[in-house]
PDB file of all heavy atoms in Angstrom:
ATOM      1  N   PRO G 228     105.724  68.947  71.718  1.00 96.00           N
ATOM      2  CA  PRO G 228     105.031  69.543  70.509  1.00 96.00           C
ATOM      3  C   PRO G 228     103.519  69.410  70.811  1.00 96.00           C
ATOM      4  O   PRO G 228     103.015  68.397  71.355  1.00 96.00           O
ATOM      5  CB  PRO G 228     105.425  68.795  69.330  1.00 96.00           C
ATOM      6  CG  PRO G 228     106.604  67.949  69.761  1.00 96.00           C
ATOM      7  CD  PRO G 228     106.694  67.882  71.245  1.00 96.00           C
ATOM      8  N   VAL G 229     102.633  70.395  70.405  1.00 96.00           N
ATOM      9  CA  VAL G 229     101.177  70.301  70.597  1.00 96.00           C
ATOM     10  C   VAL G 229     100.630  70.412  69.120  1.00 96.00           C
ATOM     11  O   VAL G 229     100.955  71.216  68.243  1.00 96.00           O
ATOM     12  CB  VAL G 229     100.687  71.496  71.438  1.00 96.00           C
ATOM     13  CG1 VAL G 229      99.203  71.454  71.539  1.00 96.00           C
ATOM     14  CG2 VAL G 229     101.391  71.686  72.746  1.00 96.00           C
ATOM     15  N   ALA G 230      99.813  69.389  68.817  1.00 95.00           N
ATOM     16  CA  ALA G 230      99.107  69.457  67.545  1.00 95.00           C
ATOM     17  C   ALA G 230      97.826  70.323  67.660  1.00 95.00           C
ATOM     18  O   ALA G 230      96.985  70.043  68.376  1.00 95.00           O
ATOM     19  CB  ALA G 230      98.731  68.016  67.150  1.00 95.00           C
ATOM     20  N   LYS G 231      97.852  71.478  66.916  1.00 95.00           N
ATOM     21  CA  LYS G 231      96.691  72.346  67.093  1.00 95.00           C
ATOM     22  C   LYS G 231      95.697  72.146  65.993  1.00 95.00           C
ATOM     23  O   LYS G 231      96.075  71.833  64.856  1.00 95.00           O
ATOM     24  CB  LYS G 231      97.164  73.864  66.962  1.00 95.00           C
ATOM     25  CG  LYS G 231      98.066  74.259  67.924  1.00 95.00           C
ATOM     26  CD  LYS G 231      97.774  74.195  69.438  1.00 95.00           C
ATOM     27  CE  LYS G 231      96.792  75.353  69.839  1.00 95.00           C
ATOM     28  NZ  LYS G 231      96.538  75.147  71.364  1.00 95.00           N
ATOM     29  N   GLU G 232      94.552  72.333  66.322  1.00 94.00           N
ATOM     30  CA  GLU G 232      93.453  72.193  65.242  1.00 94.00           C
ATOM     31  C   GLU G 232      93.148  73.648  64.751  1.00 94.00           C
ATOM     32  O   GLU G 232      92.938  74.573  65.550  1.00 94.00           O
ATOM     33  CB  GLU G 232      92.121  71.657  65.898  1.00 94.00           C
ATOM     34  CG  GLU G 232      92.115  70.211  65.997  1.00 94.00           C
ATOM     35  CD  GLU G 232      90.841  69.560  66.437  1.00 94.00           C
ATOM     36  OE1 GLU G 232      89.748  70.213  66.139  1.00 94.00           O
ATOM     37  OE2 GLU G 232      90.956  68.536  67.137  1.00 94.00           O
ATOM     38  N   VAL G 233      92.953  73.616  63.463  1.00 95.00           N
ATOM     39  CA  VAL G 233      92.662  74.949  62.791  1.00 95.00           C
ATOM     40  C   VAL G 233      91.086  75.287  63.269  1.00 95.00           C
ATOM     41  O   VAL G 233      90.206  74.368  63.038  1.00 95.00           O
ATOM     42  CB  VAL G 233      92.733  74.833  61.296  1.00 95.00           C
ATOM     43  CG1 VAL G 233      92.329  76.207  60.667  1.00 95.00           C
ATOM     44  CG2 VAL G 233      94.105  74.509  60.859  1.00 95.00           C
ATOM     45  N   PHE G 234      90.844  76.476  63.616  1.00 92.00           N
ATOM     46  CA  PHE G 234      89.492  76.914  63.895  1.00 92.00           C
ATOM     47  C   PHE G 234      89.187  77.923  62.951  1.00 92.00           C
ATOM     48  O   PHE G 234      89.906  78.881  62.537  1.00 92.00           O
ATOM     49  CB  PHE G 234      89.560  77.587  65.390  1.00 92.00           C
ATOM     50  CG  PHE G 234      88.139  78.060  65.742  1.00 92.00           C
ATOM     51  CD1 PHE G 234      87.310  77.213  66.468  1.00 92.00           C
ATOM     52  CD2 PHE G 234      87.770  79.394  65.407  1.00 92.00           C
ATOM     53  CE1 PHE G 234      86.029  77.694  66.874  1.00 92.00           C
ATOM     54  CE2 PHE G 234      86.428  79.816  65.863  1.00 92.00           C
ATOM     55  CZ  PHE G 234      85.661  78.942  66.631  1.00 92.00           C
ATOM     56  N   HIS G 235      88.090  77.721  62.075  1.00 93.00           N
ATOM     57  CA  HIS G 235      87.678  78.657  61.131  1.00 93.00           C
ATOM     58  C   HIS G 235      86.587  79.607  61.730  1.00 93.00           C
ATOM     59  O   HIS G 235      85.596  79.260  62.300  1.00 93.00           O
ATOM     60  CB  HIS G 235      86.971  77.900  59.928  1.00 93.00           C
ATOM     61  CG  HIS G 235      86.586  78.818  58.868  1.00 93.00           C
ATOM     62  ND1 HIS G 235      87.635  79.448  58.003  1.00 93.00           N
ATOM     63  CD2 HIS G 235      85.404  79.400  58.455  1.00 93.00           C
ATOM     64  CE1 HIS G 235      86.992  80.228  57.194  1.00 93.00           C
ATOM     65  NE2 HIS G 235      85.647  80.218  57.461  1.00 93.00           N
ATOM     66  N   VAL G 236      86.973  80.938  61.716  1.00 89.00           N
ATOM     67  CA  VAL G 236      86.104  81.919  62.389  1.00 89.00           C
ATOM     68  C   VAL G 236      85.016  82.471  61.408  1.00 89.00           C
ATOM     69  O   VAL G 236      85.332  82.892  60.368  1.00 89.00           O
ATOM     70  CB  VAL G 236      86.992  83.100  62.713  1.00 89.00           C
ATOM     71  CG1 VAL G 236      86.104  84.319  63.549  1.00 89.00           C
ATOM     72  CG2 VAL G 236      88.248  82.807  63.624  1.00 89.00           C
ATOM     73  N   ASP G 237      83.738  82.288  61.774  1.00 85.00           N
ATOM     74  CA  ASP G 237      82.735  82.899  60.921  1.00 85.00           C
ATOM     75  C   ASP G 237      82.073  84.008  61.638  1.00 85.00           C
ATOM     76  O   ASP G 237      81.007  84.458  61.183  1.00 85.00           O
ATOM     77  CB  ASP G 237      81.783  81.811  60.398  1.00 85.00           C
ATOM     78  CG  ASP G 237      81.368  80.881  61.543  1.00 85.00           C
ATOM     79  OD1 ASP G 237      81.468  81.384  62.675  1.00 85.00           O
ATOM     80  OD2 ASP G 237      80.788  79.831  61.242  1.00 85.00           O
ATOM     81  N   TRP G 238      82.759  84.593  62.726  1.00 83.00           N
ATOM     82  CA  TRP G 238      82.017  85.814  63.293  1.00 83.00           C
ATOM     83  C   TRP G 238      82.223  87.022  62.501  1.00 83.00           C
ATOM     84  O   TRP G 238      83.260  87.075  61.821  1.00 83.00           O
ATOM     85  CB  TRP G 238      82.665  86.009  64.534  1.00 83.00           C
ATOM     86  CG  TRP G 238      82.588  85.027  65.670  1.00 83.00           C
ATOM     87  CD1 TRP G 238      81.646  84.046  65.698  1.00 83.00           C
ATOM     88  CD2 TRP G 238      83.383  84.912  66.798  1.00 83.00           C
ATOM     89  NE1 TRP G 238      81.890  83.222  66.719  1.00 83.00           N
ATOM     90  CE2 TRP G 238      82.919  83.788  67.487  1.00 83.00           C
ATOM     91  CE3 TRP G 238      84.501  85.528  67.405  1.00 83.00           C
ATOM     92  CZ2 TRP G 238      83.435  83.267  68.695  1.00 83.00           C
ATOM     93  CZ3 TRP G 238      85.000  85.259  68.508  1.00 83.00           C
ATOM     94  CH2 TRP G 238      84.550  84.067  69.200  1.00 83.00           C
ATOM     95  N   ASP G 239      81.303  87.973  62.521  1.00 81.00           N
ATOM     96  CA  ASP G 239      81.688  89.292  61.846  1.00 81.00           C
ATOM     97  C   ASP G 239      82.532  90.092  62.806  1.00 81.00           C
ATOM     98  O   ASP G 239      82.633  89.727  64.021  1.00 81.00           O
ATOM     99  CB  ASP G 239      80.354  89.983  61.388  1.00 81.00           C
ATOM    100  CG  ASP G 239      79.484  90.477  62.446  1.00 81.00           C
ATOM    101  OD1 ASP G 239      80.025  90.543  63.587  1.00 81.00           O
ATOM    102  OD2 ASP G 239      78.316  90.596  62.288  1.00 81.00           O
ATOM    103  N   VAL G 240      83.061  91.221  62.307  1.00 81.00           N
ATOM    104  CA  VAL G 240      83.997  91.973  63.096  1.00 81.00           C
ATOM    105  C   VAL G 240      83.345  92.489  64.310  1.00 81.00           C
ATOM    106  O   VAL G 240      84.064  92.448  65.456  1.00 81.00           O
ATOM    107  CB  VAL G 240      84.440  93.227  62.121  1.00 81.00           C
ATOM    108  CG1 VAL G 240      85.433  94.167  63.071  1.00 81.00           C
ATOM    109  CG2 VAL G 240      85.264  92.670  61.093  1.00 81.00           C
ATOM    110  N   SER G 241      82.077  92.857  64.404  1.00 81.00           N
ATOM    111  CA  SER G 241      81.631  93.485  65.621  1.00 81.00           C
ATOM    112  C   SER G 241      81.436  92.359  66.650  1.00 81.00           C
ATOM    113  O   SER G 241      81.682  92.632  67.874  1.00 81.00           O
ATOM    114  CB  SER G 241      80.167  94.202  65.308  1.00 81.00           C
ATOM    115  OG  SER G 241      79.333  93.214  65.026  1.00 81.00           O
ATOM    116  N   VAL G 242      81.118  91.125  66.296  1.00 83.00           N
ATOM    117  CA  VAL G 242      81.035  90.047  67.269  1.00 83.00           C
ATOM    118  C   VAL G 242      82.463  89.773  67.744  1.00 83.00           C
ATOM    119  O   VAL G 242      82.707  89.542  69.020  1.00 83.00           O
ATOM    120  CB  VAL G 242      80.415  88.798  66.663  1.00 83.00           C
ATOM    121  CG1 VAL G 242      80.490  87.603  67.585  1.00 83.00           C
ATOM    122  CG2 VAL G 242      79.030  89.003  66.265  1.00 83.00           C
ATOM    123  N   ALA G 243      83.473  89.764  66.873  1.00 82.00           N
ATOM    124  CA  ALA G 243      84.935  89.520  67.238  1.00 82.00           C
ATOM    125  C   ALA G 243      85.410  90.608  68.271  1.00 82.00           C
ATOM    126  O   ALA G 243      86.076  90.392  69.172  1.00 82.00           O
ATOM    127  CB  ALA G 243      85.767  89.493  65.979  1.00 82.00           C
ATOM    128  N   GLU G 244      84.940  91.837  68.002  1.00 85.00           N
ATOM    129  CA  GLU G 244      85.261  92.872  68.937  1.00 85.00           C
ATOM    130  C   GLU G 244      84.825  92.706  70.408  1.00 85.00           C
ATOM    131  O   GLU G 244      85.485  93.037  71.308  1.00 85.00           O
ATOM    132  CB  GLU G 244      84.891  94.277  68.479  1.00 85.00           C
ATOM    133  CG  GLU G 244      85.577  94.789  67.315  1.00 85.00           C
ATOM    134  CD  GLU G 244      85.086  96.144  66.908  1.00 85.00           C
ATOM    135  OE1 GLU G 244      83.971  96.661  67.348  1.00 85.00           O
ATOM    136  OE2 GLU G 244      85.727  96.750  66.009  1.00 85.00           O
ATOM    137  N   ARG G 245      83.640  92.059  70.454  1.00 89.00           N
ATOM    138  CA  ARG G 245      83.059  91.753  71.718  1.00 89.00           C
ATOM    139  C   ARG G 245      83.567  90.355  72.217  1.00 89.00           C
ATOM    140  O   ARG G 245      83.044  89.742  73.173  1.00 89.00           O
ATOM    141  CB  ARG G 245      81.571  91.763  71.667  1.00 89.00           C
ATOM    142  CG  ARG G 245      81.055  93.134  71.294  1.00 89.00           C
ATOM    143  CD  ARG G 245      79.554  93.210  71.423  1.00 89.00           C
ATOM    144  NE  ARG G 245      78.951  92.188  70.634  1.00 89.00           N
ATOM    145  CZ  ARG G 245      78.398  92.402  69.469  1.00 89.00           C
ATOM    146  NH1 ARG G 245      78.402  93.551  68.923  1.00 89.00           N
ATOM    147  NH2 ARG G 245      77.818  91.425  68.865  1.00 89.00           N
TER     148      ARG G 245
END
Side-chain angles (χ1 to χ4, degrees):
V229 180
K231 300 299 283 188
E232 274 187 33
V233 178
F234 182 89
H235 184 77
V236 182
D237 48 19
W238 298 342
D239 65 26
V240 172
S241 67
V242 175
E244 283 179 351
R245 298 189 302 263

